[in-house]
Amino acid sequence: MAALAYNLGKREINHYFSVRSAKVLALVAVLLLAACHLASRRYRGNDSCEYLLSSGRFLGEKVWQPHSCMMHKYKISEAKNCLVDKHIAFIGDSRIRQLFYSFVKIINPQFKEEGNKHGNIPFEDKIAAVKVDFLWHPEVNGSMKQCIKVWTEDSVAKPHVIVAGAATWSIKIHNGSNEALSQYKMNITSIAPLLEKLAKTSDVYWVLQDPVYEDLLSENRKMITNEKIDAYNEAAVSILNSSTRNSKSNVKMFSVSKLIAQETIMESLDGLHLPESSRETSAMILMNVCCNKILKPVDGSCCQPRPPLTLIQKLAACFFTLSIIGYLIFYIIHRNAHRKNKPCTDLESGEEKKNIINTPVSPLEILLQSFCKLGLIMAYFYMCDRANLFMKENKFYTHSTFFIPIIYILVLGVFYNENTKETKVLNREQTDEWKGWMQLVILIYHISGASTFLPVYMHIRVLVAAYLFQTGYGHFSYFWIKGDFGIHRVCQVLFRLNFLVVVLCIVMDRPYQFYYFVPLVTVWFMVIYVTLALWPQIIQKKANGNCFWHFGLLLKLAFLLLCICFLAYSQGAFEKIFSLWPLSKCFELKGNVYEWWFRWRLDRYVVFHGMLFAFIYLALQKRQVLSEGKGEPLFSNKISNFLLFISVVSFLTYSIWASSCKNKAECNELHPSVSVVQILAFILIRNIPGYARSVYSSFFAWFGKISLELFICQYHIWLAADTRGILVLIPGNPMLNIIVSTFIFVCVAHEISLITNDLAQIIIPKDNSSLLKRLACIAAFFCGLLILSSIQDKSRH
């Protein structure tokens, strides 16, 4: 009864809510969210610098997250590169001095907090030509005014960045009197025009006063209350913001330190000065404000303008626009023709009869429809990760953000179980299931930032290796059994693997190697094909007649292993091969192929292991050594139990080793040789018991069928800033944001999978003469792309 109720319920849900209706809902959600974000930016402004300077929250104890944008953590070399030939001046009291020290320590961590506390402190890095000064002016008075006034004179070199602020001394010296506040207002009113004048040529920031922890204040500071500080801050904001007739003041308010201090001031030693971690956060914010627009770090979206469109992106936009227009015209014409031929009523019988038979959809219509859909999807990609329309946030790892979603998906996966159509080892449903749950775990790993936790990182490395293992297993099995080495098969596989990535390289202006997994799978597919297709071609049909051919195939595999070992330990030879033009255009990242060598070397043996496993399995299957009937164990009971025991022990042993590994470099060195242990252990655990081999999770299998699209699409429409951050469609509610963005992301990935399949049927025909013509057109397209890319690179430099 329970099973019947479940099936009836599922049928009822599918009747009202299908994949098609889900995609319509996703489209409506995208349009509404885009409209809301557009309206919000028009109303609140489009300047992410303002958000960086004024708002944010703590993700952890020391991790600050600005509202709507990502903050980059600057290294010493980056800071020096940004501030070369720059002069930065800090003016104010002891709190500004703290900010000065923290800022300088980003440039030079060895800089000591020494010198006259109530005097000027200079810093200069002569190699980088960076000059940072602290000028002691604890009150907003004539002395501070004179210092600022000097910079307004044309003959004096002005600092490039000025950071000023003061108030606590005025409160302390005058015992918090109202007269002191009035004098402060008068003084800041007289300074405001000078700051505004400086702000036309320099970046000027006024630091609002941080709150104090009144319980820790010494007796001579008890008059510095948060109420007084708020009054002084209000005065500064109202005067500096109204000091110009323009709609917006050029002097920027550095008010974010107040929010930071509210969370951390209780850790202060004296109740007045911030703890070191808090002032480091403020200094890093200031560095982001100064440097993001210059260095343009990928994971620092705050204060960055939208990147300009390249020539290739403009041409792509024109192509997709024309495709959309072409499809609309085709649709209107087709609809009008359909209306003319719609069923008419027979006057004698009173029944409807059709004038024509429904015609099949033409390839041109499929082509236009596919490119029309793809154009709209690519517009969403661009909006998410290039147009600064939607918000982005940094990742922050906690164990709960990784393991709780893992538990959720495992429960769902177990709930949706069905019987397999066949019970062979690694049958189609099982491999789809395997790809599906692995892909979901990898997605959770990426969005939670779990790469910082080494045991999780090592297990994810095994999952990536398992994908490549399946590549070796699947393609070897196909070529070995079918013996189909025709060009059509090769082109179909290459098209399905690379179509989306090539489109994204064009639309998102990213190199091919950026989407590293697709180049990896593509190269390994070609290696498998060349290994088996080269003379002598050895296939199962030929080998069954003579065991000598099995030996010949093993020689081929041994030669392949020898080549892999040579390239793995000869980085120079590897880089020479892939640095040749035009291969270099595909495999270079940041001007060299080191990243590609590292990625390839990390899983260098696992494809070979997959091919060898396929060969041994198919040989055993042919000799009927295996029992693959429904419910039957794979071997005899004793052997099955022994192998299961060994597999479980091996699986756990690998996990223990991965958890005890000291660092990534050490783990990565051993990973290529040992990852196959856990992969084989999993295969045996999953396939030796007959009952386990007879069922599969339809939930995981559904995701497995679109695993490639999920892996690629996550780069831009689920994650953000080229995977460095998280896309924020709904700010202020992380859980709802993840649910909505995931729903849209999965719908997009599924639609792209369908589009790729449709286009593969049209662009890669079975007829060899037509296929060769198409290949010539594709080759011409890539030649044009390479030429345009070269022109683009020259114009950038």
Side-chain angles (χ1 to χ4, degrees), residues 32-50:
L32 286 174
L33 288 167
C36 290
H37 278 267
L38 194 62
S40 174
R41 288 191 177 275
R42 294 225 171 180
Y43 175 72
R44 298 180 62 183
N46 196 30
D47 187 3
S48 58
C49 269
E50 287 190 8

Side-chain angles (χ1 to χ4, degrees), residues 601-647:
R601 192 172 182 270
L602 206 53
D603 296 300
R604 57 188 178 271
Y605 300 127
V606 76
V607 174
F608 170 80
H609 290 145
M611 295 170 70
L612 189 62
F613 176 83
F615 173 72
I616 294 169
Y617 163 67
L618 292 171
L620 292 174
Q621 188 187 58
K622 196 68 182 176
R623 282 158 181 73
Q624 298 181 343
V625 175
L626 308 175
S627 301
E628 295 183 301
K630 190 169 185 179
E632 295 180 358
L634 203 58
F635 304 97
S636 64
N637 287 333
K638 286 185 178 179
I639 295 174
S640 294
N641 291 335
F642 173 75
L643 287 175
L644 269 176
F645 175 76
I646 294 296
S647 299

